[in-house]
Amino acid sequence: MATGQAAATATGAEREALDRAIALALRGPRTHNPQVGCVVLGADGTVLAEGHHRGAGTVHAEVDALSQLAPGAARGATAVVTLEPCDHVGRTGPCSEALIAAGVARVVYAVSDPGTASSGGAARLAAAGVDVVRSPDDRAEAVVADWCFAMRHGRPHVTVKWAQSLDGRAAAADGSSRWITGERARAHVHAQRAAHDAIAVGTGTVLADDPALTARTDDPSAPQPLPVVVGARDVPADARVRAHPRGLVQLEGAPDVVLAALWREHGVQTLYVEGGPTLASALLAAGLVDAIHCYVAPTLLGGGRTALGDLGIATIADRLLLDDVALEHLGDDLLLTATIRPAATAAKEG
């Protein structure tokens, strides 16, 4: 094979190493930086070193693995990594240069880096005479899918959730809303909280319902979402959310400003928005919602306390259309999940 020219596919040993690299990647935290794993193989396919990224400001997976080897031990070796080696100077140096300096002869990676500043590592390696192979893998894609989304959009992936009666009400006339749905639906909500990086409500919800914003599941080791309150009104000193183990984050401003701050300042990749109607509607109206979770209870409430507020829709032609609609029974309740159809697509089909 000519120097710098990639082989068509990864070898069997390299695919096994990628399996291991994916497992290593999951050891790292979900932060501003992606979860990445790396395995260094000798010429005979034996594992020389392993590494993974441990969070913002720490060495990247490739450098972590190389650091375990004596000088020169990686010369002629193959690095198998879940994400394309970075090619920029951040808190640490470029992984592409570290691999080149170590004398690595071949790099196999699964996912291309979507960053405008960090991408280009594969091209840099190939230009230096390293054989570079992209070996796509759905599992590796899934590990960094949320990070890739945030990198591309500059904000977290947003899921808006609400619970409602069959006639679309979120509360009774006196404001009481516990509990519209049953135990299975509420347990599902807590599992979703644990699956997201952060959970957000507006100040109106804090003042009306005093939520704890914790994930209460059967697994005591389940992660807790970062609690976020959006709005300018003060959160009472005795509010339950102030006792959250992650510490309260309060933000105010336009929806796009709030979301950008959650990604840029707090590394939030996925956001679960639980209300109230003002916050949910503002995000929907701004086109900043990617998915909805609507829990529907077999009950009628009437009155004016609707689950959503004004979306700025004046005519039926401007309605928000949904895709990937699915229904799931949760006891007596129904869960409807869907994604928001992109405006450009909806306009074409309209």
Side-chain angles (χ1 to χ4, degrees), residues 1-11 14 105-109 122-123 125-127 129-135:
M1 182 189 306
T3 301
Q5 182 177 346
T9 59
T11 67
E14 290 165 350
R106 181 174 163 93
V107 171
V108 178
Y109 70 96
L125 288 161
V130 178
D131 291 325
V132 181
V133 177
R134 180 166 180 238
S135 182

Side-chain angles (χ1 to χ4, degrees), residues 187 190-191 215-222:
H190 281 286
R216 298 183 288 280
T217 69
D218 293 334
D219 181 4
S221 65

Side-chain angles (χ1 to χ4, degrees), residues 194-286:
H196 285 76
D197 295 335
I199 176 174
V201 296
T203 51
T205 296
V206 171
L207 296 173
D209 297 338
D210 192 24
L213 301 188
T214 53
R216 298 183 288 280
T217 69
D218 293 334
D219 181 4
S221 65
Q224 288 294 332
L226 181 72
V228 179
V229 174
V230 180
R233 286 182 287 180
D234 290 338
V235 175
D238 60 349
R240 290 202 299 161
V241 70
R242 289 197 177 275
H244 196 287
R246 293 285 301 277
L248 171 65
V249 171
Q250 185 169 6
L251 299 169
E252 58 180 288
D256 59 335
V257 172
V258 169
L259 294 183
L262 285 174
W263 165 239
R264 183 180 62 252
E265 299 171 18
H266 301 281
V268 173
Q269 300 175 21
T270 56
L271 179 66
Y272 194 58
V273 179
E274 288 210 24
T278 301
L279 177 59
S281 299
L283 289 164
L284 281 163

Side-chain angles (χ1 to χ4, degrees), residues 46 57 65 76 81 90 104 114 145 159 178 187 254 265 279 298-299 306 313 324 329:
T46 59
V81 61
V104 168
T159 296
R178 296 181 181 175
E265 299 171 18
L279 177 59
T299 187
T306 56
I313 298 172
D324 306 315
H329 282 274

Side-chain angles (χ1 to χ4, degrees), residues 55-117:
T58 66
V59 296
H60 291 186
E62 300 93 319
V63 176
D64 183 36
L66 292 173
S67 69
Q68 300 170 32
L69 299 174
R75 190 161 303 281
T78 295
V80 179
V81 61
T82 55
L83 180 67
E84 176 186 2
C86 69
D87 194 48
H88 80 303
V89 177
R91 298 187 188 182
T92 60
C95 292
S96 56
E97 291 187 3
L99 291 165
I100 293 167
V104 168
R106 181 174 163 93
V107 171
V108 178
Y109 70 96
V111 183
S112 296
D113 190 327
T116 54

